[in-house]
Amino acid sequence: MHALHRDIAVRIATARHRRRDGRIPLTGRHWTALVGFAVTAVLVAVGLGLPSAPQAPQVPAERVARARTELAALDVVGGRLTPQAAYLRTAFGAAWTDHGGVGEAGNGCDTRNDILRRDLAVTKSLPTSGCPAAVAAGRLRSPYSGREIVFARGAGSARVQIDHLVPLAYAWDMGAWAWPPSRRVAFANDPANLLAVDGPSNQAKSDLEPARWMPELRGFWCQYAIGFVTVSAAYRLPVDAGSRRVLATALDECR
């Protein structure tokens, strides 16, 4: 769990706290929400709190209240906006760079391995060109579906994928197209916006917003909504009206 806390030690903050280089330091207000979200994600991922009938751990009332306050403060637009430039994944930097300026950036391991190490019950590691202790094997209880997955590095490694809670293409449409490159790189590699999940769920979600996609495991809707709202608020992204309604409903279902 100490590694988890280090993963979220450098986080996102509101635009008024942004540094000139585009990187985004964590505010105390987001720290509590992100720690709670990440801890819950790990508990679900490794199966702690997911019995035979998958059920997510109870969420502290203060976290839910904070997310509701942040959701109410988000700018609301009718639908996905039309950006002034076409979306390109490369606009968010090289995939899983170790130089995003967030999380454990600069530790010698790419972001994908950082998240796998955080979210999986790792059983084997090995050195690779991209990480001195890359995750080679482990188990994941996907928070999106509740399915348990045996992960093994190699041809079948895509069974576990890393999802952006707030999709990159959605963020692009909602204003990220105008961000400085360093901020986009940070957003794409921010552990607060990343979660290890089963491949089919990630593929089904694609770049869809909450109005059009929510996790199959309804018991995770509360945590998903908190994460989506927290990231959106910290990066000052607006939310489309349909997604706002869905997120509000999900927060109302929090136990």
Side-chain angles (χ1 to χ4, degrees), residues 98-141:
D98 187 35
H99 306 289
V102 288
E104 292 193 13
N107 68 352
C109 281
D110 58 275
T111 302
R112 174 177 165 80
N113 270 291
D114 288 341
I115 300 304
L116 289 175
R117 189 181 309 109
R118 185 195 71 186
D119 290 357
L120 271 64
V122 178
T123 57
K124 182 180 179 182
S125 300
L126 54 77
T128 68
S129 59
C131 180
V135 176
R139 303 181 77 88
L140 171 75
R141 182 69 68 99

Side-chain angles (χ1 to χ4, degrees), residues 202-244:
N202 192 42
Q203 297 302 310
K205 175 183 175 180
S206 186
D207 69 342
L208 300 180
E209 63 274 22
R212 295 191 289 166
W213 187 92
M214 287 291 283
E216 174 187 348
L217 186 61
R218 189 149 187 157
F220 192 68
W221 278 25
C222 173
Q223 291 86 346
Y224 185 82
I226 289 174
F228 196 99
V229 169
T230 299
V231 171
S232 297
Y235 279 91
R236 290 295 182 90
L237 287 169
V239 64
D240 64 282
S243 292
R244 188 190 184 286

Side-chain angles (χ1 to χ4, degrees), residues 15-97:
R16 65 177 179 275
H17 292 105
R18 212 177 356 168
R19 298 201 300 253
R20 291 182 180 177
D21 63 2
R23 295 180 182 180
I24 311 167
L26 177 70
T27 63
R29 185 167 60 90
H30 290 112
W31 171 265
T32 302
L34 291 172
V35 169
F37 174 75
V39 169
T40 299
V42 172
L43 291 175
V44 174
V46 301
L48 304 177
L50 264 178
S52 55
Q55 184 177 8
Q58 185 171 354
V59 181
E62 60 271 19
R63 287 185 56 221
V64 179
R66 186 178 300 109
R68 286 173 176 154
T69 298
E70 290 184 330
L71 179 60
L74 293 181
D75 289 337
V76 181
V77 296
R80 288 177 73 147
L81 304 176
T82 302
Q84 295 185 18
Y87 167 72
L88 292 173
R89 173 60 179 85
T90 53
F92 288 85
W96 312 131
T97 179

Side-chain angles (χ1 to χ4, degrees), residues 142-146 163 195 197-198 201 205 213 215-217 220 224:
S142 174
Y144 285 175
S145 66
D163 179 51
L195 200 59
V197 302
D198 63 289
S201 291
K205 175 183 175 180
W213 187 92
E216 174 187 348
L217 186 61
F220 192 68
Y224 185 82

